[in-house]
Amino acid sequence: MAVLEVRNTGIRFGGLVALNDVNIDVPEWEIVGLIGPNGAGKTTLFNCIMGLYQPNTGTVAYRGRNVSLLPTHRRVALGIGRTFQNIGLVRGLTVLENFMVAQHPRIGYGAIGALVGVPRSFAEERKLKANAMEVLDFIGLSHLAGSQLDGLPYGTLKLIEIGTVLATDPDLLLLDEPTSGMGPEEAHEFGDRLLELRKTLNLTVLMIEHHVPLVVGVCDYVYVLNFGQILTEGLPQQVKSHPEVVAAYLGTEVEEEEGENVPA
Amino acid sequence: MATATEAITAPLPAVEHERWRPSTAGWAARLTVLAIIFGGIFWITAIVPQYWADRISLAAIFAIIGLSLNIVLGYVGQVSLGHHAFVGIAAFVAAYYVTEKAGCTPEEGCALGDFALGMVFAVVSGGVAAMLLGLVALRIKGLYLALITLTYGFMAERSIFEIPFLTRGGAGMPAPRPDGFTTDRAFAYLTFAFLALVIFVDWRFLKSKVGRAVLSIKHSEPVAASYGINVTAYKVLAFVLSGLFAGMAGGLMAFRATNVVSNDFNFSIALLWVLMVVVGGLGNRTGVIFISAFFALFPFLLELWSWLDHYVSGSFGRSLSVVTVTVGALLAILTVIQFPGGFAEQVSPITRWLRGQKFTAHPEGHGHAPKEKGEKKHALLSKLGLHKGSEGKTDGASEEEAKVKEDVDA
Amino acid sequence: MRTAIVSGAIVALCAIILISGSGDDTGPNAFIIIGVSQGAVYGLVSLGLVLVYKGSRVFNFAQGEFGSIAAFIVYVLIEQVRSMEIPYGVAALIAVIGVVIIGLIMERVIVRPLLNAPRVTLLVATIAFALFAIGTQLLLFLPEPKSLAPIISKIPGGGNVELFNFIVEPQRLLVLAILVVVAGVLGYFFSRTDLGLAVLATSQDAFATRVVGIGVERMSRFIWGTAAFLGAVAGILYVPLSGALTPGVMTSGVLIPSFTGAVIGGMTSLPGAFVGGVIVGIVQALSNWGSGHYYLGERLWQDIVPGGPDVLLMLVLLLVLLIRPQGLLGSEA
């Protein structure tokens, strides 16, 4: 039983079919890549897995349990974490507060109790803050604890986002273009860190990526999405040189004709 | 590097938090200022004539309304142009209960228990009415929701506030003050107590997961949801809380005026309340309280000039004068165009100082430091030991952790 | 095409009711006629609302006050400056021009600085403007209602008009006629003239129109000036029919139904605006008639649910926004 099983998932927006009969398996402790040109529907698929969109067809199962009808926050509580393409952090809150929000599902007091000020809420808040500070200390960003997010450099924000997602203690991690904005060296380093993380935190990962060397170096299996459908799947090396995949990215048929160079 | 166990249990390196703290003398100064402010309010309430104390209680009630609207406007980020519906319904419910059900009369007064129960009903009815709005707000947002709230307010004015058994027509429903608090001065202190309660709950709201959740939702619902926040529940909760506060204010208004007339709650006052919160500073408790009190009180200051008298008396029901509306509207326009942070931003140097920061004219910087590279990043990715009861990560993980740490620190 | 169908349906419905009930006093006929003329007023105001929404993407809560201010100006010129005996038409013209100037001032002072601010901020600014207008009216005129004479109180040669056996004030027909004329002029303007097409284009994509070279500022001025004009005309025509000129008369009586009409017609559709306005007028009239005519048990509806028509209107608004937010003729939610 795979950690994540996506079956026959399809969704349409008005007349536009964004996803059509998508099937994906993410086995335990694997890092699975999801690649495809822009607009293929990769983020839409993530949204369906997370429950932000309700697909018109198909099911999503997590550890064998059908979660298709569960609201997003329940899926998160089960152990699915997700990053966003445009930095999924709350900009109205400080860095520290973002780390505290990340632990929301595991806070030990109820909303009503918080409002009337039961002693437990005070104690839990202190513990929460201490935990969050601890993490910030470790990543060397404790001096930013009280800062607003605006104005912080992009790389720092990415780091904070990874931190907050991991703070939710996920089993399955959905990463949406985690290396966007990074150069080849940084992306490579990220790949190394990801492999370590998988080991130390027993993570399973489904990752949307454009960075081909990273995908080849890190992923155990790759799915290719194009125009909302799975074009092909397989080991990274195979997929990488698959003619249709190349064509999908370059946008033209690759023709091996003598003397003719068909550029993108 | 020593053994794995030692690596884990060694104390964390002390990290400089670089946060400035005031000295003892600094704290003493701040506390003195606060004492003067609060003490001053109490003292003034004690020495002014009764009819001024009556106005002070209106100021406290407006402050509660301001905080109520602030939740919807500032924390949730939606516009409610029909808040007078919640306040009015609560006022009528409280008055109806004490007069029709508990049997209080203007001559005999009202027992404290009846008053308390009346207030409870007021608070609850405010919450229920606001909950309906909250449910609508799940589907409709922004300008269209504002339109719905405006329409709802008009409907309440024309329909709910005209129901004969609830409102007794033009004469209004009586609401005698509770025993022990029949004088204006005593009632003013009573309203202070309720205001303090509202401030406390609002404080807990912001400082707990509830406030963080609501603010996250306001910024981005998908992000909030992926933090495990139940967006639907918290949205409705925020509206309910706003309604509870509004209900409290409504009940107090009923007992303050000792009877409730539908003319007291009209769309103009609802609009003014919105402007009040905007001028105070959206999302800022202090600014909202101050400006709300100001809006309630300042027309009466104009009594000093008798030729303004006829402008001072309420043309929008008894608690709102023309001058408030006109000047308030002007202030709102000014705020929106020139001073978006409202009154709160103007006094922020003072409020920040009182909260224990240095006194500066400008807000603190973000404290950017050069990005820490290398080891610290590794440490994050390996540590994040915030697991609680997650299976399969106990011994195996800590050993791996230690190994990684060894690599790093070596 | 859709507009024609919807308008045709409304006209047909009214005609059926009026003709079949001709002469019958207990029927809703009189109410229908009032409803249509009320609807015409709502339609005029709705047109202003939709215009502003298309141009500035905001709900103009001050739209009603354009009318109140115009009505007060006419009142002052006619009643209070008796010594000069200004003809009604001239007074109306001065009032309309005055309100258009106020609208342009509002555009310059409030709308332009907030061009890039969130729309809710601009909404609050229009609310503030409306309240300021109401407050000023109260300060100058006090709350007691005044009375404003209609433009036409008698048609030449006779008294009131007789329509389907009911006596109709000529002013009501005038309102309807003016709405049709305005609708026609605007319809021609927006589909045939350069400026009109430019306005429609702006509402689709402000950046693109800037690139093409159409002045966004000029557009904004035009839109708000026209909205002020429409509001002023609506106020001058409506107040005499409503019976009393009080501060904020348009905002308390006309603005909400006009908004409802605009939403029903579709906030992005100009034809939808006046169609929606008329629909609201008719629905209101019918429910007024109904609650005074039908019994629940022993008591009239209106005794049991006071303000029934208002409740109905709110429910209609809620329903439209939940089920079909783009309204009848609009193109986007």
Side-chain angles (χ1 to χ4, degrees):
Chain A
M1 171 189 65
V3 169
L4 181 69
E5 286 165 346
V6 177
R7 293 275 175 275
N8 311 111
T9 295
I11 188 170
R12 55 191 309 151
F13 299 109
L16 174 69
V17 177
L19 293 175
N20 187 15
D21 196 26
V22 172
N23 290 283
I24 286 187
D25 272 7
V26 185
E28 187 132 29
W29 296 325
E30 277 193 23
I31 299 181
V32 173
L34 180 64
I35 66 175
N38 283 326
K42 308 188 291 295
T43 303
T44 307
L45 181 60
F46 267 23
N47 287 338
C48 288
I49 297 173
M50 287 304 286
L52 290 169
Y53 293 162
Q54 263 308 319
N56 300 115
T57 62
T59 57
V60 175
Y62 176 73
R63 293 196 183 280
R65 174 180 171 174
N66 185 350
V67 298
S68 310
L69 297 175
L70 284 186
T72 308
H73 67 277
R74 297 279 301 280
R75 303 190 199 194
V76 170
L78 285 178
I80 310 179
R82 179 252 175 104
T83 65
F84 288 83
Q85 243 178 329
N86 297 324
I87 308 265
L89 293 171
V90 181
R91 280 184 197 266
L93 302 177
T94 63
V95 173
L96 182 67
E97 284 169 339
N98 265 280
F99 272 92
M100 290 165 81
V101 180
Q103 302 177 57
H104 181 97
R106 291 169 329 175
I107 295 180
Y109 59 80
I112 309 289
L115 292 175
V116 301
V118 298
R120 176 115 188 251
S121 69
F122 288 91
E124 285 278 327
E125 278 291 302
R126 271 196 293 275
K127 203 163 56 164
L128 200 64
K129 197 165 175 183
N131 279 346
M133 276 311 301
E134 211 178 275
V135 176
L136 278 179
D137 284 346
F138 259 102
I139 52 176
L141 294 180
S142 56
H143 57 287
L144 293 179
S147 305
Q148 292 294 324
L149 295 177
D150 295 318
L152 293 182
Y154 185 75
T156 310
L157 289 176
K158 271 249 181 270
L159 181 61
I160 296 174
E161 192 194 11
I162 303 265
T164 55
V165 165
L166 291 176
T168 68
D169 193 18
D171 282 343
L172 170 67
L173 197 51
L174 305 180
L175 298 175
D176 198 340
E177 296 193 35
T179 64
S180 76
M182 289 189 195
E185 265 177 36
E186 279 189 280
H188 184 78
E189 198 185 292
F190 173 81
D192 290 340
R193 298 290 80 72
L194 190 59
L195 292 170
E196 277 174 33
L197 262 182
R198 177 192 28 196
K199 255 195 311 187
T200 58
L201 298 179
N202 290 320
L203 283 178
T204 309
V205 177
L206 176 63
M207 182 168 74
I208 295 178
E209 253 307 332
H210 280 298
H211 219 97
V212 176
L214 177 67
V215 170
V216 169
V218 156
C219 292
D220 301 307
Y221 201 76
V222 175
Y223 290 88
V224 183
L225 200 64
N226 194 22
F227 292 121
Q229 289 184 281
I230 298 286
L231 189 59
T232 186
E233 57 183 90
L235 299 178
Q237 282 294 354
Q238 295 173 320
V239 166
K240 174 176 128 174
S241 38
H242 192 291
E244 281 183 58
V245 174
V246 178
Y249 270 98
L250 296 183
T252 66
E253 291 296 319
V254 177
E255 304 201 340
E256 306 289 344
E257 285 205 11
E258 248 153 357
E260 209 169 299
N261 213 338
V262 187
Chain B
M1 201 62 215
T3 66
T5 346
E6 278 181 77
I8 300 167
T9 54
L12 297 176
V15 177
E16 286 301 333
H17 280 271
E18 288 179 26
R19 229 190 352 194
W20 181 89
R21 289 237 130 84
S23 63
T24 319
W27 278 121
R30 287 164 173 78
L31 280 172
T32 316
V33 169
L34 279 172
I36 292 177
I37 295 176
F38 287 113
I41 295 175
F42 272 87
W43 178 68
I44 291 177
T45 314
I47 62 168
V48 292
Q50 291 283 354
Y51 67 91
W52 261 101
D54 185 50
R55 292 161 186 176
I56 292 178
S57 50
L58 183 67
I61 294 174
F62 266 36
I64 296 178
I65 293 176
L67 288 175
S68 162
L69 252 184
N70 187 40
I71 294 180
V72 174
L73 223 52
Y75 300 158
V76 177
Q78 297 295 331
V79 183
S80 169
L81 301 172
H83 238 64
H84 61 300
F86 307 143
V87 179
I89 290 175
F92 276 115
V93 163
Y96 178 79
Y97 173 75
V98 293
T99 301
E100 299 280 349
K101 299 293 178 197
C104 299
T105 63
E107 301 82 33
E108 293 166 28
C110 208
L112 205 54
D114 294 329
F115 163 78
L117 209 50
M119 284 300 293
V120 167
F121 284 129
V123 168
V124 167
S125 58
V128 169
M131 184 177 77
L132 297 175
L133 179 62
L135 292 173
V136 171
L138 292 175
R139 289 289 302 272
I140 302 174
K141 299 189 185 39
L143 296 178
Y144 289 102
L145 183 66
L147 185 57
I148 298 251
T149 60
L150 189 70
T151 312
Y152 177 72
F154 269 99
M155 183 213 76
E157 265 180 85
R158 306 247 165 92
S159 180
I160 301 177
F161 296 168
E162 300 285 322
I163 299 179
F165 77 84
L166 193 59
T167 64
R168 282 201 187 172
M173 179 72 75
R177 292 192 190 163
D179 303 325
F181 293 99
T182 42
T183 66
D184 290 332
R185 205 186 314 283
F187 193 76
Y189 288 126
L190 187 61
T191 58
F192 287 172
F194 278 100
L195 177 59
L197 177 63
V198 167
I199 293 177
F200 175 78
V201 175
D202 193 80
W203 173 60
R204 289 317 302 154
F205 177 90
L206 278 184
K207 280 265 179 258
S208 72
K209 72 175 187 179
V210 185
R212 286 194 297 267
V214 172
L215 290 175
S216 303
I217 293 171
K218 171 174 151 191
H219 170 256
S220 164
E221 285 187 32
V223 170
S226 64
Y227 274 147
I229 294 172
N230 184 342
V231 173
T232 307
Y234 277 96
K235 264 188 176 173
V236 175
L237 176 64
F239 275 94
V240 168
L241 189 63
S242 174
L244 294 176
F245 289 172
M248 190 180 292
L252 288 174
M253 278 188 97
F255 292 107
R256 171 185 171 263
T258 67
N259 82 334
V260 186
V261 176
S262 45
N263 192 38
D264 285 337
F265 308 104
N266 54 65
F267 76 93
S268 303
I269 207 172
L271 297 181
L272 183 81
W273 286 336
V274 171
L275 299 184
M276 189 168 81
V277 174
V278 168
V279 173
L282 285 183
N284 186 298
R285 196 184 309 137
T286 318
V288 166
I289 293 176
F290 190 90
I291 292 295
S292 306
F294 174 75
F295 270 39
L297 287 176
F298 105 88
F300 302 111
L301 298 173
L302 301 179
E303 275 182 356
L304 299 173
W305 295 278
S306 57
W307 60 271
L308 283 172
D309 264 352
H310 97 266
Y311 298 119
V312 168
S313 60
S315 316
F316 298 89
R318 290 167 294 180
S319 37
L320 195 59
S321 89
V322 182
V323 189
T324 318
V325 168
T326 322
V327 173
L330 273 179
L331 284 176
I333 293 177
L334 223 77
T335 303
V336 151
I337 297 179
Q338 273 298 110
F339 306 105
F343 179 76
E345 187 167 321
Q346 302 308 312
V347 296
S348 57
I350 301 176
T351 48
R352 260 197 293 270
W353 176 77
L354 283 172
R355 252 193 286 253
Q357 293 173 17
K358 259 191 266 206
F359 185 87
T360 55
H362 303 289
E364 280 194 348
H366 290 305
H368 292 169
K371 209 168 65 170
E372 303 276 15
K373 291 193 186 253
E375 305 92 29
K376 294 293 169 63
K377 266 200 209 156
H378 293 211
L380 154 76
L381 300 182
S382 67
K383 163 70 165 146
L384 282 175
L386 299 170
H387 321 299
K388 286 191 189 95
S390 30
E391 305 78 36
K393 291 186 191 181
T394 44
D395 297 314
S398 31
E399 268 202 282
E400 297 285 358
E401 263 184 303
K403 282 212 196 91
V404 171
K405 253 191 123 201
E406 269 185 85
D407 290 343
V408 162
D409 294 337
Chain C
M1 192 53 214
R2 256 191 300 177
T3 315
I5 296 177
V6 173
S7 315
I10 296 175
V11 170
L13 183 67
C14 290
I16 292 174
I17 296 181
L18 285 171
I19 294 174
S20 63
S22 178
D24 177 5
D25 279 343
T26 61
N29 299 38
F31 284 85
I32 289 271
I33 294 170
I34 293 179
V36 171
S37 71
Q38 279 282 81
V41 173
Y42 298 154
L44 279 171
V45 176
S46 299
L47 274 172
L49 291 172
V50 170
L51 204 55
V52 167
Y53 185 74
K54 283 173 90 74
S56 303
R57 274 278 170 273
V58 73
F59 292 174
N60 178 19
F61 274 96
Q63 186 68 16
E65 284 313 297
F66 287 146
S68 309
I69 296 174
F72 269 108
I73 294 178
V74 171
Y75 173 79
V76 164
L77 289 175
I78 293 193
E79 305 286 338
Q80 298 198 332
V81 194
R82 282 190 190 277
S83 50
M84 291 179 45
E85 287 223 4
I86 302 173
Y88 201 108
V90 172
L93 193 61
I94 294 177
V96 169
I97 293 176
V99 169
V100 169
I101 293 175
I102 291 177
L104 290 173
I105 293 176
M106 182 177 171
E107 192 272 340
R108 184 67 191 83
V109 168
I110 294 178
V111 178
R112 201 92 64 78
L114 296 177
L115 207 54
N116 296 315
R119 298 295 81 188
V120 173
T121 310
L122 185 51
L123 181 77
V124 171
T126 64
I127 293 173
F129 185 86
L131 267 193
F132 179 70
I134 297 180
T136 313
Q137 287 162 31
L138 268 171
L139 282 173
L140 293 173
F141 298 105
L142 303 186
E144 292 82 33
K146 323 269 184 288
S147 104
L148 182 64
I151 288 184
I152 306 181
S153 39
K154 324 181 199 314
I155 57 172
N160 292 321
V161 178
E162 213 179 277
L163 196 66
F164 292 103
N165 284 331
F166 291 101
I167 307 213
V168 179
E169 301 159 55
Q171 180 98 337
R172 293 197 183 274
L173 294 178
L174 180 65
V175 173
L176 196 53
I178 292 205
L179 175 69
V180 172
V181 167
V182 165
V185 167
L186 284 181
Y188 174 83
F189 176 80
F190 281 108
S191 52
R192 302 265 187 258
T193 66
D194 284 346
L195 184 58
L197 289 167
V199 171
L200 286 184
T202 312
S203 67
Q204 306 301 329
D205 188 336
F207 180 72
T209 55
R210 246 199 204 108
V211 169
V212 169
I214 302 168
V216 172
E217 284 84 35
R218 190 165 155 237
M219 203 72 47
S220 180
R221 273 202 303 269
F222 170 77
I223 284 173
W224 283 83
T226 310
F229 168 79
L230 290 168
V233 169
I236 295 175
L237 290 173
Y238 171 76
V239 171
L241 290 174
S242 74
L245 172 62
T246 58
V249 55
M250 293 295 278
T251 302
S252 42
V254 168
L255 192 60
I256 294 291
S258 303
F259 262 118
T260 310
V263 169
I264 290 178
M267 265 323 251
T268 51
S269 162
L270 286 164
F274 72 79
V275 163
V278 172
I279 291 178
V280 168
I282 296 175
V283 167
Q284 227 183 18
L286 282 175
S287 66
N288 264 318
W289 171 76
S291 62
H293 189 82
Y294 285 105
Y295 286 78
L296 190 69
E298 300 243 306
R299 296 162 58 201
L300 287 172
W301 264 105
Q302 65 195 11
D303 288 334
I304 301 172
V305 184
D310 294 290
V311 178
L312 181 66
L313 214 55
M314 189 197 79
L315 290 175
V316 167
L317 179 64
L318 201 58
L319 232 79
V320 171
L321 284 177
L322 286 174
I323 299 179
R324 198 185 153 94
Q326 68 269 43
L328 285 171
L329 303 171
S331 53
E332 47 154 271

